[in-house]
Amino acid sequence: MTSPMTTSRQGDILILTSDNPPVNALSNAVRQGLQAGIEEAKNDDSIKAVIITCAGKTFFAGADITEFTKGMQEPALPTLVDQIEALDKPVIAAIHGTALGGGCEVALASHYRIAVPSAKFGLPEVKLGILPGAGGTQRMPRVAGVETALELATKGDPISATQAQQVGLVDKLATEGNLLAEAIAYAQEVIGQPVSRSSERPVTVDTAVFETFRKTNAKRFRGLDAPATIIDLIEQTAGKPYGEGVQAERMGFMKLIMGKQSAALRHVFFAERKASKIDGIAEDVQLRPINRVGVIGAGTMGGGISMNFLSAGIPVTIVEMAQDALDRGTATIRKNYEATASKGKMTTEQVEGAMGILKPTLNFDDLAECDLIIEAVYESMDVKKDVFGRLDKIAKPGAILASNTSYLNVDEIAAATSRPQDVLGLHFFSPANIMKLLEIVRGAKTADDVLATAMALSKKIRKTAVIAGVCYGFIGNRMLMPRQVEANHLLMEGATPEQIDKVHVAFGMPMGPFQMADLAGVDIGWHRDPTRIENIRDALAAEDRWGQKKGAGYYDYDEKRTPSNSARVAELIEEWRGKLGATTHDITEEEIMVRTFYTMVNEGAKILEEGMAQRASDIDVVWVYGYGWPPYKGGPMYWADQEGLKKIVEGLEKYGFEVAPLLRKKAEKNEKFSK
Ligand code: 3H9
C-alpha cells in the first residue's frame, strides 16, 4: 500500500505532506509517515527546518475516529506530537481548511503555525464525548490561555484563523492560495533560532475562572460527562508540569472513550453522515441546478424556510396573497437577521446582502423563474392540491416542487400535477431557520435526481437531512404520536403533567410532552370550537389556556415564563377522569418510560419494517436533530439497543401493547437495530 505521506526537499527544509482524503484524518499510516519524517530530520544535518502540511481540502481534521474501536496502534498520537515538539529544529505547521482535534494538537506541538485566513481551528473531541487526548488540554492553555482552552475544548466549536491569531494560536497569516511558498519563506526566517516549545511555557492561572465557567455553562453541559471532565482536568493540572498534565489527560481520555456517552456520540457522528447516502441512487447522478428558490407563504414557516436559502446566498422569491401578510413576513425576516447582527453573529453588510436577494411578491406567476418551489401554506390537502395544480401550470420544466407538509400524503399532492417525478416533501422543523433537521420525503414517483439535488442542497443550507417515505407524520411526527397518546392516557390514569415531564427531563430531553405542548401552543391543531370539548386538550384550549404565550396551559406561567403547577389543570384532569370513568393507579417511573419511550421505539420499528426510513440510524438522526433527543444517548433506536430489545419487548407486553414484528424478531434473535 502506498503511504499517504510524502516527503520533499526545498533546500534545507524538509516538507512532510499528508494526502489522506477526504479529511486527512491522522490514521496509522499518516502517523507512521510523520514519525519517519521527524526521525529523518533529526538524523540529517543538512535539514534545518520541517514543514508539516496537507494536500486536498484540509489540514488534519483529527484522529481517525474509525480506529477508536481497534485500540491505539503505535505510533500513538500523544507520542508522536511529543516527538514533533522535541525536535531541535523548527517545525512549522502550514494550515488550510480545518485543523481539528488531533490536527490542532499537531499544530500546537509544532513550533510555529502559519495559516491562510479561511482556516479554522478547533478541539471538537467533546462532541464525540471525549477530550483532546494528544496534549491539547495541556498545550492549548499554555499557548492561548486557560479561558480560550476551556471554550474550545468544552464546546467544540472552531474559531477562525484571525481569532486564532489574536489568541496566539497562529503566528502568521499567509495569503490564500500561497500557503506553502509563504511557509517556506517563514521557515527560512526562523532557521537557526532556538525552538520555542509550547509544553515548556507556563500556564497563567486565575482560579476563579473555572467556577465562573462552570456556572455560566451549567445548562449547556447538563447530563454530559466530557465537559465536566475537561474543566476539572484543566483546573487540576494548570499549575503542574506538562508531563504530569498529559498523564492525567491520558487517564481522562481513556475513561471517557470507554464510556457509554462517547460510544453514543460517535454513533450519532457516523449516523449523520450515513443519512446523506440515498439507497438505490447512483453516486454520479446529475444534480439539477438551483439558482433561485420560490417559497409560497410568508408566515412563520415560509419566512424561516426562506432565511435558510438567503443565508446561503441563494435568491428567494416569496409569495403571499395579501400585501399586509407579505410586509409582515418580510419585516420578520429582517428583524430576525438584525437580532443575529446585534449579537455580533452577522455584519450589517451580510444582513443587507441577504435581504437584497429576497424578492417579495403578490404575483404567483413570479414563481416561474424558480428552480425549486417550496409550498408552506395551510396544512390542508385541498389547499395543497390547489397550490400544486397552479404550480404545474406555471413552473418551468424541470423545476422541483416541494411541499412542507408535516403529515399529508405527498403522493396525493404530487398527483395534482402532471409531473409527479419533480415533486417531493421538504419537511422543515420550526423555527425553520434554526432547527437542523430536514425530512426529505420521497414520493412513489420522485425522480432520483430530484432527491439527490434536495440532499445536496440541504448541505448547502447547513441542514441535517434524512430521507423519509410517505406515511402519516413521516418519521419524527409519526413516532411522536404514540408518545402523545400515552402521555394523555397516563394523565387520565393517575399521573400529573409534571410527573411525566420530570421523567423526560431526567432522561435528558429538553422538555417533556406537556412542557412541549405549552411551548408549541395547546391550540395547535385545535378545531377552534369552544363548545366542542372532547378531551382535556380541548378543555384547556377552550379556556384560553394555550400555553406559554397566554401565561397558562398545562402549567401556569409568571411574566418570566417560569412554570408552576396549576390547580385549575388538576381540577380539569379530575373532571375528565370522572367523565371518562377512568380508574386511577399509582403511576411509576417505569410505567412512564415504557408507555412514552418504548412505544416510540415500537413505532420506529414499524417505520423501518415498512421501509419508511432507510436505516435505524436515520431515525436516531431525526430525533437528535429534530426533537432534542440527548445525543449522548444516541437516538431512540440506538438507545433501545443499549436497553436491550428483550427488555423493550417485555415492557411493551406488560402494558398490553402490540409489539412490532421487526422488534420482536430482533429481540428473539438477540440482534440490534444499529449495525
Ligand atoms: C481526536 O482527534 C482525538 C485526539 O484528540 C486524540 C487522539 C488520541 N476520522 O463531515 P463530512 C469522514 S477525535 C475518520 O461529510 P465535511 C466522514 O465520516 C477527532 N473519518 O465532510 C465522512 O465519511 P463518508 C476530532 C472522518 O466536509 C467523510 O470523512 N475531529 C473523520 O462536511 C467526510 O466527512 C473531529 O471530530 C475523522 N476524524 O466536514 C472532526 N472526520 O464520506 C470530525 C470526517 O464515508 N470531522 N470523517 O461518510 C468533521 O467535523 C468534518 O468531517 C469536517 C469536514 C469539518 C472535517
Side-chain angles (χ1 to χ4, degrees):
M1 227 174 75
T2 52
S3 167
M5 289 298 303
T6 50
T7 53
S8 59
R9 284 288 287 264
Q10 177 79 28
D12 46 11
I13 301 164
L14 180 73
I15 303 168
L16 307 179
T17 308
S18 164
D19 188 5
N20 187 27
V23 297
N24 273 309
L26 284 149
S27 66
N28 188 241
V30 172
R31 298 195 306 274
Q32 280 179 14
L34 276 172
Q35 191 184 46
I38 294 295
E39 207 45 35
E40 186 184 335
K42 195 167 145 189
N43 297 326
D44 185 339
D45 287 342
S46 71
I47 297 172
K48 303 287 186 233
V50 178
I51 292 175
I52 299 178
T53 193
C54 290
K57 67 173 186 180
T58 179
F59 194 72
F60 307 112
D64 187 337
I65 309 168
T66 59
E67 285 182 0
F68 283 1
T69 43
K70 297 177 197 149
M72 211 178 280
Q73 284 176 303
E74 291 300 335
L77 200 53
T79 321
L80 177 64
V81 290
D82 285 350
Q83 287 168 347
I84 293 172
E85 195 192 57
L87 193 72
D88 51 14
K89 301 170 183 180
V91 179
I92 296 104
I95 300 151
H96 75 293
T98 44
L100 301 179
C104 191
E105 291 171 305
V106 167
L108 281 164
S110 303
H111 308 123
Y112 300 93
R113 291 162 289 276
I114 177 167
V116 288
S118 60
K120 290 204 161 72
F121 292 77
L123 294 173
E125 289 89 342
V126 69
K127 295 190 176 170
L128 300 168
I130 52 176
L131 52 79
T137 66
Q138 302 304 303
R139 287 198 178 91
M140 190 61 89
R142 287 172 163 83
V143 170
V146 165
E147 282 173 71
T148 303
L150 285 174
E151 268 309 304
L152 289 177
T154 59
K155 297 185 181 165
D157 299 327
I159 54 171
S160 68
T162 323
Q163 287 168 304
Q165 190 182 32
Q166 280 158 7
V167 295
L169 184 53
V170 163
D171 301 297
K172 199 174 170 67
L173 285 179
T175 317
E176 215 71 59
N178 199 32
L179 178 63
L180 188 59
E182 291 182 34
I184 292 169
Y186 190 32
Q188 279 156 349
E189 260 176 54
V190 296
I191 281 175
Q193 290 180 18
V195 297
S196 142
R197 298 188 172 90
S198 47
S199 70
E200 289 169 0
R201 298 191 205 171
V203 183
T204 327
V205 212
D206 170 3
T207 44
V209 165
F210 298 99
E211 231 12 73
T212 313
F213 191 78
R214 277 190 193 95
K215 274 203 195 112
T216 320
N217 295 292
K219 199 168 160 209
R220 179 176 183 142
F221 297 155
R222 181 174 77 96
L224 290 163
D225 292 341
T229 310
I230 293 167
I231 303 169
D232 289 352
L233 177 70
I234 296 182
E235 182 174 31
Q236 284 156 16
T237 57
K240 304 239 168 81
Y242 173 79
E244 262 180 64
V246 278
Q247 261 184 28
E249 179 188 90
R250 184 101 302 261
M251 279 164 56
F253 181 85
M254 291 316 289
K255 192 164 165 225
L256 288 174
I257 204 160
M258 295 194 338
K260 285 184 184 163
Q261 291 199 354
S262 174
L265 286 160
R266 278 179 279 138
H267 164 76
V268 172
F269 178 86
F270 287 114
E272 185 183 348
R273 276 142 191 95
K274 223 184 286 166
S276 64
K277 316 263 185 300
I278 312 173
D279 286 348
I281 288 194
E283 283 213 358
D284 57 353
V285 63
Q286 195 70 32
L287 303 183
R288 297 192 188 182
I290 306 291
N291 298 317
R292 176 173 282 276
V293 173
V295 175
I296 308 171
T300 315
M301 212 57 206
I305 292 172
S306 302
M307 287 179 75
N308 290 302
F309 297 99
L310 297 173
S311 304
I314 303 172
V316 173
T317 301
I318 191 164
V319 185
E320 254 300 344
M321 293 204 296
Q323 190 65 48
D324 60 337
L326 188 64
D327 292 345
R328 229 179 301 125
T330 314
T332 306
I333 295 177
R334 175 172 280 285
K335 204 179 88 205
N336 286 341
Y337 276 134
E338 283 171 354
T340 310
S342 73
K343 289 183 205 141
K345 292 182 180 166
M346 245 179 137
T347 61
T348 319
E349 293 76 54
Q350 284 170 324
V351 173
E352 295 313 322
M355 292 309 293
I357 52 172
L358 175 67
K359 176 176 167 182
T361 178
L362 295 177
N363 185 359
F364 197 82
D365 292 350
D366 283 350
L367 293 170
E369 61 187 356
C370 300
D371 305 297
L372 161 69
I373 303 165
I374 306 169
E375 153 286 302
V377 301
Y378 184 63
E379 187 80 338
S380 138
M381 182 53 91
D382 289 342
V383 176
K384 306 242 178 211
K385 276 184 172 168
D386 177 57
V387 166
F388 274 77
R390 288 172 65 200
L391 273 181
D392 193 26
K393 293 199 181 76
I394 59 122
K396 62 163 101 152
I400 299 177
L401 311 181
S403 170
N404 176 52
T405 178
S406 347
Y407 289 94
L408 300 175
N409 187 324
V410 172
D411 290 333
E412 210 180 319
I413 296 173
T417 72
S418 62
R419 37 174 135 177
Q421 74 281 0
D422 296 338
V423 178
L424 83 175
L426 287 180
H427 180 210
F428 288 84
F429 287 68
S430 187
N433 51 323
I434 292 172
M435 294 295 288
K436 283 263 304 178
L437 182 66
L438 174 66
E439 283 181 328
I440 298 179
V441 187
R442 181 183 207 159
K445 295 189 179 157
T446 308
D448 285 1
D449 63 341
V450 167
L451 273 183
T453 303
M455 186 55 88
L457 197 60
S458 72
K459 260 208 155 188
K460 253 195 205 158
I461 60 170
R462 305 170 74 158
K463 297 282 171 205
T464 299
V466 168
I467 301 286
V470 176
C471 59
Y472 192 70
F474 314 122
I475 298 175
N477 282 346
R478 176 167 165 185
M479 283 168 75
L480 195 62
M481 274 182 280
R483 183 182 99 163
Q484 291 302 111
V485 168
E486 284 311 308
N488 283 318
H489 285 168
L490 281 164
L491 278 195
M492 294 300 104
E493 292 170 39
T496 60
E498 49 281 9
Q499 191 189 354
I500 296 168
D501 285 342
K502 219 168 128 190
V503 172
H504 283 249
V505 173
F507 180 84
M509 300 297 292
M511 61 192 102
F514 299 106
Q515 290 162 328
M516 189 170 135
D518 274 1
L519 180 71
V522 175
D523 58 316
I524 285 189
W526 185 43
H527 43 62
R528 299 198 181 250
D529 175 358
T531 59
R532 207 178 112 202
I533 300 177
E534 287 158 4
N535 53 40
I536 179 122
R537 201 174 162 128
D538 288 349
L540 291 172
E543 282 191 17
D544 228 22
R545 299 188 68 99
W546 291 6
Q548 287 194 20
K549 58 188 168 191
K550 294 269 187 173
Y554 284 97
Y555 297 88
D556 290 335
Y557 295 88
D558 64 16
E559 328 66 65
K560 288 189 183 145
R561 296 202 169 187
T562 314
S564 57
N565 297 341
S566 161
R568 177 64 191 141
V569 171
E571 259 173 40
L572 280 173
I573 293 173
E574 255 333 301
E575 201 180 304
W576 274 89
R577 284 175 185 157
K579 275 191 196 159
L580 298 172
T583 46
T584 58
H585 62 276
D586 281 341
I587 309 277
T588 61
E589 188 182 323
E590 179 250 8
E591 183 168 355
I592 295 172
M593 283 304 296
V594 171
R595 293 178 61 179
T596 59
F597 281 90
Y598 287 18
T599 48
M600 281 202 294
V601 173
N602 202 32
E603 197 63 38
K606 289 181 198 163
I607 287 172
L608 260 186
E609 193 159 29
E610 293 166 19
M612 295 296 151
Q614 299 190 104
R615 41 188 96 84
S617 61
D618 283 9
I619 298 178
D620 291 333
V621 171
V622 165
W623 273 81
V624 167
Y625 290 106
Y627 298 84
W629 185 282
Y632 60 85
K633 288 197 175 164
M637 308 315 275
Y638 177 88
W639 170 76
D641 283 342
Q642 314 312 308
E643 281 283 285
L645 299 187
K646 277 205 173 97
K647 184 175 163 197
I648 304 274
V649 169
E650 281 161 15
L652 287 168
E653 282 174 338
K654 177 174 168 189
Y655 292 98
F657 293 99
E658 200 182 310
V659 178
L662 180 69
L663 172 57
R664 187 182 295 287
K665 196 169 87 196
K666 285 203 175 279
E668 280 167 1
K669 287 189 173 169
N670 235 339
E671 287 176 0
K672 291 183 172 206
F673 285 115
S674 40
K675 301 267 169 0

